[in-house]
Amino acid sequence: MPDPVQIFFDSVLPNKLPRPESYEAYSPSNIALAKYWGKRDQTLNLPLNSSLSISLGHLGSKTHVSSATDGVDGVWFDGDKLPNQSRFAQKVLAFADLFRRGQNLPLHIVTKNTIPTASGLASSASGFAALTRAISGAFKLALSDAQLSMISRFGSGSASRSIWHGFVCWDRGVRDDGTDCVARQLPHHWPGFRIAVIPVDTDLKSVPSSDGMRHTVATSPLFEAWPEHAEADCIRVEAAVLARDFTVLGETVEANALAMHATMLASRPVLNYLQPASWTCLETIWNARKAGIEAYATMDAGANIKVLFLETNRTQIETLFPQGLIIDPFADHTQECEFSK
Ligand code: PMV
């Protein structure tokens, strides 16, 4: 039986890659406003439901790829050379192998995150998106953003959305071969839109999302309802972005995150990513809303809370969450994100 991953890469890449040039790329991290949880195909990494995210501007990953002058693959992360047997290097090199397909083209891959470690924000989305861009650039592959997004998906699902800035929708598609499972940037800017990241647990060691998804799909009695519910939320969030309706957007985003966590919590044994301090933050947001401050929460596969609000409420949010890292996703980040071609 032919390998579907090999078929995909053969369909988008030339048979023989040229010797790599040096190339550097930047990709922003992203936070899902309508979440992806559950795969319809593990091998091709196809999701059971569509998702929609906001990219985090200058918070992301910068990756530099060049030909290995010493003839041996090497991986550096935040200034340190990693042993090739380390988990991180293995993942990076396995991803590079999807491009190389057996060709002897050793690479030096240098990644730096612009995401503060203390924020507790995961960097796999921006990491794989930047890696995809940098490897494609190094091999002079003339790929479209949609193709880059599809390739990034093999690193992590959410990476498929980190190819773009702003609001990005990843359509689940229906075809078995995944050719209609592709992300797209929404052409809508929302200059007053803000996100505050509230660090609760900066230790990123929790259940990896792929394992958590498999466990939830297999054991949660609530999972049956999730894909349809999540798909409807995704459509609603996209419409709210289009209409710039912050109330509909915020209510949908928060309910979507809570529904995802409720579905996980019903798994056996329990899958819980939230901590007491996460619930305290949620209570603070719910009380703030009762007091007339429009703020909404979302949480991914971790304990940290992200608060959505508008610039007009910045002072109140800063008072409620002095530890929050405030992100302006539509600011001009060209300088911070600059990369050479
Ligand atoms: O990209 P992955 O496979 O690590 O999964 C991401 C899962 C969530 O962050 C919880 C939701 C999402 O859509 O990003």
Side-chain angles (χ1 to χ4, degrees), residues 121-148:
L121 280 172
S123 55
S124 68
S126 55
F128 280 112
L131 183 60
T132 302
R133 277 199 181 281
I135 296 179
S136 305
F139 288 122
K140 296 185 281 296
L141 305 171
L143 298 170
S144 66
D145 281 350
Q147 286 172 318
L148 293 171

Side-chain angles (χ1 to χ4, degrees), residues 140-263:
K140 296 185 281 296
L141 305 171
L143 298 170
S144 66
D145 281 350
Q147 286 172 318
L148 293 171
S149 164
M150 282 179 146
I151 291 174
S152 305
R153 188 187 78 219
F154 288 88
S156 90
S158 52
S160 68
R161 300 184 307 240
S162 270
I163 289 295
W164 294 275
H165 282 274
F167 294 108
V168 179
C169 183
W170 178 26
D171 294 309
R172 69 181 290 279
V174 292
R175 291 191 208 133
D176 287 344
D177 65 0
T179 47
D180 58 349
C181 174
V182 64
R184 61 192 157 88
Q185 185 185 38
L186 305 189
H188 308 290
H189 281 240
W190 195 332
F193 197 93
R194 298 285 178 273
I195 302 144
V197 177
I198 318 298
V200 167
D201 180 4
T202 53
D203 180 1
L204 293 174
K205 274 185 260 105
S206 60
V207 179
S209 50
S210 287
D211 297 348
M213 285 183 205
R214 250 195 310 273
H215 182 62
T216 314
V217 175
T219 71
S220 172
L222 301 188
F223 191 78
E224 209 181 311
W226 168 258
E228 202 183 320
H229 180 84
E231 203 64 32
D233 281 347
C234 193
I235 292 168
R236 212 170 144 82
V237 172
E238 184 168 355
V241 168
L242 188 78
R244 264 205 208 176
D245 187 332
F246 188 66
T247 306
V248 170
L249 181 134
E251 284 176 358
T252 312
V253 169
E254 189 175 288
N256 175 269
L258 289 167
M260 179 182 77
H261 282 272
T263 309

Side-chain angles (χ1 to χ4, degrees), residues 30-39 45 49-53 122 124-125 128 153 155-161 170 208-210 213 226 256 260-261 264 273 299-302 306:
N30 75 76
I31 287 171
L33 302 176
K35 315 281 186 198
Y36 136 64
W37 197 255
K39 300 178 200 262
N45 215 10
N49 65 276
S50 305
S51 54
L52 196 150
S53 62
S124 68
F128 280 112
R153 188 187 78 219
S156 90
S158 52
S160 68
R161 300 184 307 240
W170 178 26
S209 50
S210 287
M213 285 183 205
W226 168 258
N256 175 269
M260 179 182 77
H261 282 272
M264 296 167 173
Y273 287 105
M299 323 58 96
D300 290 316
K306 291 93 178 188

